[in-house]
């Protein structure tokens, strides 16, 4: 008990030594613990003096002031390894232990947000928060619930900043963002941990750290957990508080979805999955409906790979079904384009292309809908 921080730091060091040499194929940003690593979790759990609350307080101490440990260059950041252990620990302790230790967990989450951890560490903090919500979605005290909402807001904002780190401003006067013309690291389940390790080595060897190497990982993690997490943390009468946070996230998401270049494909796939998951919750509509419709009407909309089509179908279905004005707007645009005579002052081919584009979007809308959903509009569509 007198050397708790050194004990936990040693656990973190050995955690990295016991990782799987060849990781199984997966599409998760947070690494899956190996059997030997899980033995470390059971070891800590078996120490009677290391109660859950004590473990949390000691992990927080290690994160704030990591003890000096001689390590080779191939070793990941000690803080990241500590959080990998803690994430696995949280997954394997009883719900009662987790709930009883909420004050200590809250303190750990709050401090971690302010420490400026490497991006993989921030991902693990979100993972720990998500595990807590999955196990215990409701806190009895309103004060505790409000504190949970506040720390959730801060953690998601921090991940959002990492997600937007592959973007740059178009000009210094405007806040418009566009994707940097540089390669993005693909989130590949089999190689993700290797990617992260190599990047951490670069961090240790270089004097400066560019977090943009993790933007795809951040977008992928948000796509996996954000929609459900926010829905559980904010109760039905508090959903309005979610909108400003989602508007900020969409500020980073939309530029990736506007870019159809090959090097941006990993980000595009992650962002469309994120938007699709958000669209399933009706109260989020104000945060994304305008941007989604604008993207749908963009001339580059259909430049996507097949894996994105199902997500777009879900988004367009939610957009049109729950907002009749949007469908009527599309119908009006199609009708006006088809009935107007070709102008002498525009290129004929361009105008015909515009008509075809609108019809194609109407067809995609119907394709995305339920059977006979737009049956009452059939005379107008035929017209």
């Amino acid at each position: 008990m007198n050397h708790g921080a050194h004990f936990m730091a040693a656990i973190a060091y050995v955690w990295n030594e016991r990782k799987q040499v060849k990781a199984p194929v997966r599409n998760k940003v947070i690494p899956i613990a190996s059997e030997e690593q899980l033995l470390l979790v059971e070891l800590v759990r078996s120490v009677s003096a290391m109660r859950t609350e004590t473990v949390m307080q000691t992990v927080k101490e290690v994160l704030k002031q990591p003890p000096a440990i001689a390590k080779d260059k191939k070793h990941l950041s000690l803080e990241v390894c500590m959080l990998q252990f803690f994430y696995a620990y949280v997954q394997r302790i009883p719900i009662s232990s987790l709930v009883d230790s909420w004050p200590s967990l809250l303190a750990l989450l709050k401090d971690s947000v302010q420490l400026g951890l490497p991006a993989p560490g921030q991902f693990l903090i979100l993972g720990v928060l998500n595990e807590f919500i999955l196990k215990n979605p409701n806190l009895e005290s309103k004060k505790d619930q409000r504190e949970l909402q506040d720390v959730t807001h801060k953690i998601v904002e921090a991940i959002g900043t990492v997600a937007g780190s592959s973007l740059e401003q178009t000009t210094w006067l405007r806040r418009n963002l566009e994707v940097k013309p540089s390669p993005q690291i693909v989130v590949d389940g089999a190689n993700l941990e290797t990617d992260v390790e190599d990047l951490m080595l670069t961090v240790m060897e270089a004097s400066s750290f560019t977090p943009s190497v993790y933007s795809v990982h951040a977008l992928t993690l948000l796509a996996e957990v954000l929609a459900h997490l926010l829905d559980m943390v904010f109760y039905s009468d508090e959903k309005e508080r979610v909108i400003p946070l989602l508007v900020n996230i969409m500020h980073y998401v939309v530029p990736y979805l506007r870019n159809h270049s090959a090097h941006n494909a990993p980000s595009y796939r992650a962002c469309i999955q994120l938007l699709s998951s958000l669209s399933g919750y009706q109260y989020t509509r104000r945060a994304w409906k305008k941007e989604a419709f604008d993207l749908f009407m963009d001339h580059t909309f259909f430049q996507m790979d097949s894996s994105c089509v199902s997500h777009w179908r879900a988004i367009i279905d939610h957009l049109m079904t729950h907002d009749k004005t949007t469908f009527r707007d599309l119908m009006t645009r199609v009708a006006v384009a088809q009935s107007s005579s070709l102008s002498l002052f525009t290129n004929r081919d361009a105008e015909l292309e515009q008509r075809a584009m609108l019809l194609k979007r109407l067809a995609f809308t119907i394709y995305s809908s339920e059977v006979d959903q737009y049956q009452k509009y059939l005379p107008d569509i035929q017209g």
Side-chain angles (χ1 to χ4, degrees):
M1 295 308 295
N2 293 334
H3 305 283
H6 286 83
F7 171 68
M8 291 305 293
I11 291 287
Y13 181 86
V14 177
W15 181 271
N16 188 67
E17 299 296 305
R18 295 293 181 268
K19 69 171 183 270
Q20 289 172 316
V21 178
K22 191 172 183 180
V25 175
R26 63 187 186 280
N27 293 313
K28 299 290 184 184
V29 172
I30 297 175
I32 297 173
S34 68
E35 289 186 15
E36 287 196 26
Q37 287 175 326
L38 292 178
L39 286 175
L40 293 171
V41 175
E42 296 310 312
L43 186 154
V44 172
R45 288 185 61 192
S46 69
V47 179
S48 57
M50 296 293 287
R51 295 179 297 112
T52 301
E53 194 170 359
T54 307
V55 171
M56 291 178 180
Q57 292 168 352
T58 311
V59 167
K60 184 179 77 168
E61 193 178 335
V62 172
L63 295 177
K64 292 179 80 169
Q65 289 185 315
I69 291 181
K71 55 189 178 185
D72 58 41
K73 288 185 177 181
K74 289 187 177 180
H75 201 288
L76 282 171
S77 154
L78 190 70
E79 298 94 317
V80 173
C81 295
M82 187 78 271
L83 284 169
Q84 286 179 355
F85 161 83
F86 185 63
Y87 175 72
Y89 176 84
V90 167
Q91 286 182 311
R92 283 159 182 82
I93 57 175
I95 298 174
S96 56
S97 300
L98 203 54
V99 175
D100 292 343
S101 308
W102 164 244
S104 296
L105 179 59
L106 176 65
L108 190 156
L109 293 173
K110 279 184 174 178
D111 285 4
S112 299
V113 176
Q114 300 170 354
L115 288 175
L117 295 169
Q122 296 184 46
F123 301 157
L124 287 156
I125 290 297
L126 181 58
V128 168
L129 172 65
N130 190 53
E131 284 298 318
F132 176 78
I133 297 303
L134 289 174
K135 286 190 172 186
N136 183 62
N138 301 315
L139 292 171
E140 293 182 3
S141 162
K142 284 192 173 181
K143 179 177 178 291
D144 287 344
Q145 190 65 26
R146 184 53 62 97
E147 286 182 326
L148 173 63
Q149 291 170 354
D150 290 343
V151 78
T152 299
H153 198 289
K154 289 175 182 175
I155 292 171
V156 170
E157 278 196 328
I159 303 296
T161 302
V162 178
S165 57
S166 284
L167 303 173
E168 59 186 0
Q169 285 185 248
T170 51
T171 65
W172 69 277
L173 281 172
R174 301 174 68 185
R175 197 164 175 255
N176 292 349
L177 298 174
E178 63 182 19
V179 181
K180 294 176 184 176
S182 56
Q184 297 173 356
I185 292 176
V186 179
V187 178
D188 178 4
N191 300 321
L192 176 57
E193 203 163 353
T194 309
D195 290 343
V196 172
E197 185 164 334
D198 290 343
L199 292 164
M200 290 307 301
L201 287 177
T202 306
V203 174
M204 295 170 192
E205 292 167 358
S207 57
S208 62
F209 172 53
T210 306
S212 62
V213 292
Y214 289 109
S215 61
V216 179
H217 303 73
L219 290 166
T220 303
L221 184 59
L222 288 175
E224 290 174 2
V225 308
L226 182 63
H228 182 260
L229 176 69
L230 295 180
D231 191 54
M232 299 296 284
V233 171
F234 292 86
Y235 295 161
S236 56
D237 58 340
E238 301 169 320
K239 299 300 186 188
E240 286 295 312
R241 295 189 65 203
V242 176
I243 302 303
L245 176 58
L246 289 181
V247 168
N248 288 338
I249 295 295
M250 287 301 296
H251 179 66
Y252 296 123
V253 167
V254 172
Y256 290 115
L257 292 177
R258 283 203 189 104
N259 188 305
H260 295 260
S261 62
H263 83 269
N264 183 60
S267 294
Y268 187 98
R269 283 192 291 268
C271 286
I272 199 58
Q273 184 183 341
L274 172 58
L275 183 54
S276 177
S277 63
L278 290 173
S279 72
Y281 297 92
Q282 194 168 341
Y283 66 87
T284 66
R285 185 175 312 282
R286 285 198 293 119
W288 58 266
K289 72 172 186 177
K290 181 185 181 301
E291 288 76 9
F293 188 70
D294 289 346
L295 288 164
F296 183 47
M297 299 306 293
D298 189 84
H299 70 281
T300 60
F301 173 75
F302 288 101
Q303 296 174 15
M304 68 179 94
D305 65 42
S306 57
S307 64
C308 300
V309 175
S310 60
H311 294 304
W312 266 118
R313 287 185 67 185
I315 294 163
I316 298 305
D317 185 34
H318 290 133
L319 180 66
M320 302 294 181
T321 303
H322 300 290
D323 191 349
K324 301 301 182 187
T325 57
T326 308
F327 182 71
R328 285 197 291 269
D329 181 17
L330 176 60
M331 286 290 292
T332 301
R333 294 190 191 203
V334 175
V336 169
Q338 297 303 317
S339 62
S340 62
S341 58
L342 295 175
S343 170
L344 295 173
F345 301 101
T346 58
N347 182 290
R348 178 183 174 86
D349 289 341
E351 188 136 353
L352 289 171
E353 178 66 25
Q354 173 73 5
R355 291 182 180 184
M357 182 193 82
L358 287 165
L359 280 174
K360 193 173 182 180
R361 276 150 185 76
L362 178 58
F364 189 82
T365 299
I366 297 169
Y367 173 59
S368 302
S369 67
E370 299 295 324
V371 175
D372 291 338
Q373 183 173 325
Y374 296 112
Q375 186 177 20
K376 66 179 183 179
Y377 294 99
L378 190 57
D380 293 328
I381 292 170
Q382 286 176 317

